[in-house]
Amino acid sequence: MSELDLFAQLPADSLLEGLNPQQRAAVEYRGKALLIVAGAGSGKTRVLTHRIAHLLAKKEAWPSQILAITFTNKAAAEMRERVRHLLGESADGMWIKTFHSACVAILRRESERLGHNSNFTIYDSGDSRAILKRLIKDLGADIHKLTPAGVGAAISNAKNELADAESYARNVDQADPVARMIAELFSRYQAELRRNNAFDFDDLIGETVHLFRAFPDVLAQYQHKFKHILVDEYQDTNHAQYALVRELAQTASLTVVGDSDQSIYAFRGADIRNISEFEKDFIGAKTILLEQNYRSSQNILSAANAVISNNFDRPNKNLWTDSGNGDAIVGFTGYSAHDEAQFIADEINKLHHDGTNYRDIAVMYRTNSQTRALEEIFIRAGLPYRVVGGTKFYERAEIKDAFGYLVAVNNELDDLATRRILNVPKRGIGDASETQLANYAERNQLSMRQVLAHVGDLGFGPKITGAIQQLSDLLIELVAMARAEPVDVVLRAVLERTGLIESLRASRDPQDEARVENLEELVSVAREFQRNNPEGRLPDFLNEVALVAAADEIDDESGTVSLMTLHTAKGLEYDAVFLTGLEESLLPHRMSFITPGGLNEERRLFYVGITRARKKLHLSLAMTRTTYGESDASTPSRFLSEIPTDLIDWRESGATRAMATSRYRSSIADTQGYGRASSDHETGSSSYGGTPSAKPKTEWKGAISSVRNNEGLQLAVGQMVSHSDFGKGKVIAVAGEGNRQTAEIHFGSIGVKKLLVKVAPVTVIEE
């Protein structure tokens, strides 16, 4: 029986049951190119998986002829599981992969054409920075204030545009010494990667495109293999990813799914034009809009629709649901960031008391710096939480050390891995010895691993020579073991025979106990990999771990509240969502005011945050926020004025309740564009979608009404004041001037309070 015949008995019509008309049209369409504009929560994964199953049920493709591409391993695993549920084990023949894992699979087979062997290492950003740090030091480039992170970002941006080191050097301003130095670092960095038989993350896609363009026979092989290509989250593709899809889709049927309203990764090189201009790129393409939402209540969707409608150049898409209006959105204006955090903690306690699991609650923010106040209050309140995207498991030093050994075993050309493990755990091999080994390697055109076997020629003393020889012998034994044994057995041997575990257990540092636990958890990861991949060996395990993304590390079963940036939140959903710091210069971020397209992208980011919520949505801001040690008055985010007032139930803390004045409201309108349209830099047109004189649909009163403005008030030591909450007090100290003046005021039994004068609810008591 052929592969295709396995699906002859699949009831194709049953795959259409339960789909709405637009979803059904997307599943059944058979043209050359299809764009599915999938609004948040509109069931795009269901459409993709049912489209795949329908192709097979109608005997229009074999499983091996289908390539489905996602952005995270988590999304790929979910798609595989859903297709397997529909089709059974035969679904395993399909390529359902991330962009990077698909390219790794291709490069493993074809890497020799590019001058690499198939055991190449994949460097993460930390590995890349380590190399760049050394190169910057070697070249003396630090005199230009160049940093590994800054140079790495420049190289990454170039690779995402498919520029190699040579073309980059040709196009830099030769009169600019910094630009020339970055070009030189780029060239040396690539030479180091090649010498180490390694690719970085950006290379995985760029080198695959280069492979296809340089070797037409390889491209033809994969074009023949894949008859149907499906790409998820197409709005997030950069130029290199776009080029990869274009190369493969020349002879295939192409389906892309995405939503320009959720394009939020321009800083990573994502190009919104890839989706907005899809019909220009693929002549004759059909577009289908999915607008029915299966996630959120109508009140949440109405807020999202109202906000995003102010962006120009987008599909006329309006999310709706038949599940009812749901609860009102809760808005909160706090006096300070800690006041805001306390409100969030109190609301989470109420939600949990009423039956919401902690894991179904998320707090989202624009910048990582906002977590400080949240964490302080959560700790005091005894709330279980985790910061998603903090120090990740695979970035911990002890985990990187263990992987250093595994990589050195797998790829003897990887000098970075060998350098890492030379003296881990400590075996008396210092920096001078490492430099001597590196110099010998360079003179003799050997890798660091190969030099270890020649240690007798380097003139070291017996102690260092013996230590290096033992390491070399151990690596040789581990190489043989890795060819025959499961990954978890190899890893356990690494941990025990190198002394990594023993040295940590012998330590008196309490943190080393946690490090031992992390290494034990790594063994568990390896065992789970082996269970899921019985035939898998060390190279396969290293592949899988190297491609783990931040979103993949989120454990849905964890009983903790998730704290995360709005960028990290993409693709996730929770029963209750708290969007915090809704203030000008935070959201929208201050950098968006000077970045072309920046305000539109910030609005899309807010839209993404809103649409993560299933049942409960909370919006909050603080009237004052401390930045770089200075407390400043905050201005409510312009995006709040775009939400109809009848959708939000605004609340305020005791410290803010009596702080409203009409003068402050008018000052905001005059300076920040409230009550009138404000222009986005990139278009010169109204952010409300009309002319510069256009008015918002509704007057916004919520958060502004709870903010005080003492414009021009300056306090002096000795003055008596009245505070709306604390009563009478005496000024005992002042600092700063103008809007930044702070005052320490003694309020009798309450004690001393330090207040920002501009917004404090105080009036001077005239004697």
Side-chain angles (χ1 to χ4, degrees):
M1 182 179 292
S2 72
E3 186 180 17
L4 190 59
D5 290 335
L6 291 171
F7 302 94
Q9 297 179 348
L10 269 177
D13 291 343
S14 69
L15 294 169
L16 304 176
E17 294 176 1
L19 301 179
N20 65 43
Q22 290 72 33
Q23 291 175 328
R24 179 170 182 154
V27 169
E28 292 186 299
Y29 182 72
R30 290 298 186 268
K32 184 69 174 172
L34 172 64
L35 167 61
I36 303 173
V37 179
S42 62
K44 66 181 177 67
T45 304
R46 187 181 191 199
V47 170
L48 275 174
T49 53
H50 279 248
R51 180 169 171 79
I52 292 171
H54 198 258
L55 286 166
L56 298 172
K58 299 287 280 187
K59 302 170 71 172
E60 296 174 31
W62 300 343
S64 59
Q65 292 177 319
I66 291 176
L67 169 64
I69 302 176
T70 69
F71 269 81
T72 68
N73 292 309
K74 188 173 184 179
E78 180 184 359
M79 191 179 296
R80 272 194 300 270
E81 195 58 37
R82 290 203 195 186
V83 176
R84 188 179 288 117
H85 178 73
L86 292 171
L87 304 178
E89 294 181 358
S90 300
D92 295 342
M94 288 176 287
W95 276 37
I96 301 180
K97 299 176 177 289
T98 65
F99 270 103
H100 291 100
S101 62
C103 289
V104 167
I106 294 170
L107 290 174
R108 290 286 180 203
R109 299 176 182 179
E110 311 291 344
S111 57
E112 290 186 3
R113 295 184 184 243
L114 299 175
H116 289 261
N117 69 49
S118 61
N119 284 341
F120 59 78
T121 304
I122 302 169
Y123 282 169
D124 63 17
S125 58
D127 298 327
S128 296
R129 285 194 298 269
I131 293 174
L132 288 169
K133 181 179 180 180
R134 188 170 73 250
L135 293 176
I136 289 171
K137 181 179 179 181
D138 291 346
L139 281 175
D142 48 353
I143 64 170
H144 298 296
K145 294 185 168 38
L146 290 173
T147 65
V151 176
I155 293 173
S156 178
N157 291 338
K159 289 184 176 184
N160 286 337
E161 293 297 321
L162 295 178
D164 58 17
E166 290 74 20
S167 62
Y168 183 87
R170 286 195 301 270
N171 292 306
V172 300
D173 181 0
Q174 295 300 320
D176 183 347
V178 175
R180 293 201 313 271
M181 183 59 74
I182 292 175
E184 177 63 22
L185 288 166
F186 190 175
S187 178
R188 294 194 179 204
Y189 172 73
Q190 285 305 112
E192 183 92 353
L193 291 184
R194 182 171 294 278
R195 191 161 48 246
N196 290 357
N197 188 37
F199 292 115
D200 65 21
F201 253 72
D202 298 311
D203 284 331
L204 297 178
I205 296 172
E207 289 295 321
T208 303
V209 174
H210 170 63
L211 173 75
F212 286 161
R213 292 177 175 176
F215 301 96
D217 60 314
V218 176
L219 174 60
Q221 173 189 342
Y222 287 95
Q223 286 176 337
H224 178 74
K225 174 178 175 60
F226 300 124
K227 299 303 182 187
H228 296 274
I229 299 173
L230 304 95
V231 184
D232 194 12
E233 303 286 8
Y234 192 67
Q235 78 280 348
D236 293 335
T237 52
N238 59 31
H239 177 67
Q241 291 161 337
Y242 166 81
L244 178 71
V245 172
R246 284 297 299 253
E247 294 291 343
L248 287 171
Q250 290 177 28
T251 60
S253 167
L254 175 64
T255 300
V256 303
V257 183
D259 182 7
S260 58
D261 290 340
Q262 299 185 67
S263 179
I264 60 173
Y265 294 127
F267 69 98
R268 293 183 187 168
D271 191 342
I272 195 172
R273 294 174 301 174
N274 292 348
I275 191 167
S276 64
E277 299 180 4
F278 183 81
E279 292 175 322
K280 295 179 183 178
D281 292 336
F282 299 91
I283 304 301
K286 182 178 179 63
T287 298
I288 296 176
L289 269 63
L290 303 183
E291 298 174 284
Q292 183 173 358
N293 180 281
Y294 297 92
R295 174 189 301 161
S296 307
S297 67
Q298 189 59 55
N299 282 339
I300 292 170
L301 297 179
S302 295
N305 289 331
V307 168
I308 204 63
S309 67
N310 293 289
N311 270 2
F312 75 106
D313 192 22
R314 57 178 291 274
N316 185 21
K317 174 169 57 65
N318 200 59
L319 297 178
W320 63 275
T321 183
D322 59 10
S323 63
N325 289 332
D327 295 334
I329 298 167
V330 175
F332 177 78
T333 305
Y335 177 71
S336 66
H338 282 82
D339 198 15
E340 178 191 33
Q342 186 63 60
F343 163 77
I344 293 169
D346 292 343
E347 288 295 300
I348 290 174
N349 274 325
K350 291 177 187 176
L351 288 168
H352 188 252
H353 180 267
D354 292 339
T356 303
N357 195 297
Y358 287 129
R359 68 169 174 265
D360 295 322
I361 303 172
V363 182
M364 302 173 187
Y365 36 81
R366 179 62 178 84
T367 66
N368 280 310
S369 62
Q370 292 168 251
T371 64
R372 185 178 64 85
L374 290 165
E375 291 194 71
E376 288 177 5
I377 296 298
F378 280 27
I379 289 170
R380 274 188 229 162
L383 282 176
Y385 74 92
R386 56 181 173 161
V387 179
V388 178
T391 302
K392 303 180 185 67
F393 179 75
Y394 292 109
E395 293 178 0
R396 299 181 186 277
E398 63 274 13
I399 302 299
K400 297 280 277 185
D401 290 340
F403 271 101
Y405 277 96
L406 294 179
V407 170
V409 167
N410 184 65
N411 177 11
E412 73 166 11
L413 299 180
D414 193 324
D415 287 355
L416 188 66
T418 304
R419 281 174 177 263
R420 183 176 190 99
I421 65 173
L422 268 177
N423 201 40
V424 177
K426 294 188 181 301
R427 48 175 65 94
I429 305 173
D431 291 344
S433 300
E434 180 182 335
T435 300
Q436 194 170 340
L437 288 166
N439 291 339
Y440 185 92
E442 186 174 355
R443 287 195 308 270
N444 294 277
Q445 296 185 324
L446 298 172
S447 71
M448 289 283 281
R449 260 287 309 281
Q450 292 167 332
V451 169
L452 299 184
H454 295 77
V455 64
D457 300 334
L458 274 76
F460 290 127
K463 184 176 180 180
I464 293 179
T465 298
I468 294 175
Q469 188 63 58
Q470 285 181 350
L471 175 61
S472 178
D473 292 343
L474 174 59
L475 290 173
I476 291 170
E477 292 177 28
L478 290 170
V479 167
M481 178 182 289
R483 294 193 184 109
E485 297 291 345
V487 175
D488 59 309
V489 173
V490 177
L491 176 57
R492 177 59 74 182
V494 164
L495 298 180
E496 293 177 353
R497 298 186 61 185
T498 61
L500 276 174
I501 284 278
E502 182 182 351
S503 64
L504 290 172
R505 284 175 176 158
S507 170
R508 295 184 178 180
D509 185 345
Q511 293 184 349
D512 283 340
E513 183 176 343
R515 296 184 178 107
V516 170
E517 292 173 356
N518 288 336
L519 290 173
E520 293 288 357
E521 177 62 22
L522 183 59
V523 175
S524 298
V525 171
R527 284 176 180 156
E528 183 177 355
F529 165 83
Q530 208 67 67
R531 282 196 301 271
N532 296 333
N533 305 271
E535 303 302 319
R537 286 295 180 262
L538 182 58
D540 308 298
F541 178 64
L542 294 174
N543 274 357
E544 182 166 298
V545 172
L547 299 173
V548 170
D552 296 321
E553 295 194 347
I554 297 174
D555 178 8
D556 293 332
E557 298 305 314
S558 174
T560 59
V561 177
S562 295
L563 276 59
M564 67 186 72
T565 66
L566 283 162
H567 284 100
T568 301
K570 175 74 183 303
L572 304 174
E573 58 184 79
Y574 297 88
D575 282 352
V577 167
F578 293 80
L579 300 184
T580 68
L582 298 177
E583 303 144 26
E584 289 290 298
S585 296
L586 263 184
L587 187 67
H589 194 272
R590 67 179 71 87
M591 291 302 296
S592 69
F593 304 151
I594 58 173
T595 304
L599 285 173
N600 278 349
E601 177 147 336
E602 292 290 298
R603 187 176 283 109
R604 292 194 293 270
L605 193 58
F606 185 39
Y607 172 84
V608 165
I610 292 172
T611 55
R612 299 310 93 196
R614 290 192 283 252
K615 301 175 182 177
K616 304 271 190 181
L617 176 63
H618 298 72
L619 309 175
S620 63
L621 65 151
M623 292 165 38
T624 63
R625 195 169 291 274
T626 301
T627 307
Y628 303 117
E630 296 285 343
S631 293
D632 285 326
S634 302
T635 302
S637 169
R638 68 189 68 193
F639 300 151
L640 290 170
S641 68
E642 298 170 357
I643 301 176
T645 55
D646 61 342
L647 294 178
I648 307 180
D649 173 19
W650 278 103
R651 304 174 188 175
E652 47 189 42
S653 69
T656 62
R657 190 166 295 116
M659 299 176 68
T661 67
S662 59
R663 181 175 61 173
Y664 187 56
R665 181 188 300 176
S666 62
S667 73
I668 293 177
D670 290 340
T671 60
Q672 295 295 337
Y674 293 102
R676 71 179 193 279
S678 58
S679 297
D680 279 1
H681 292 274
E682 62 271 26
T683 65
S685 65
S686 163
S687 64
Y688 296 114
T691 64
S693 61
K695 301 286 185 182
K697 298 168 189 169
T698 59
E699 179 187 4
W700 177 52
K701 301 177 182 177
I704 295 178
S705 66
S706 63
V707 180
R708 172 83 170 226
N709 182 33
N710 295 320
E711 190 70 44
L713 176 62
Q714 297 287 285
L715 298 181
V717 173
Q719 281 184 307
M720 297 298 296
V721 298
S722 176
H723 189 284
S724 60
D725 287 325
F726 306 142
K728 291 183 180 180
K730 183 176 183 179
V731 179
I732 60 174
V734 295
E737 297 179 353
N739 292 340
R740 290 178 177 267
Q741 187 187 55
T742 59
E744 294 183 30
I745 305 173
H746 186 270
F747 291 103
S749 61
I750 294 177
V752 176
K753 299 290 184 182
K754 185 174 182 180
L755 305 174
L756 184 65
V757 175
K758 177 178 171 62
V759 296
V762 298
T763 54
V764 176
I765 300 175
E766 300 294 342
E767 297 181 358

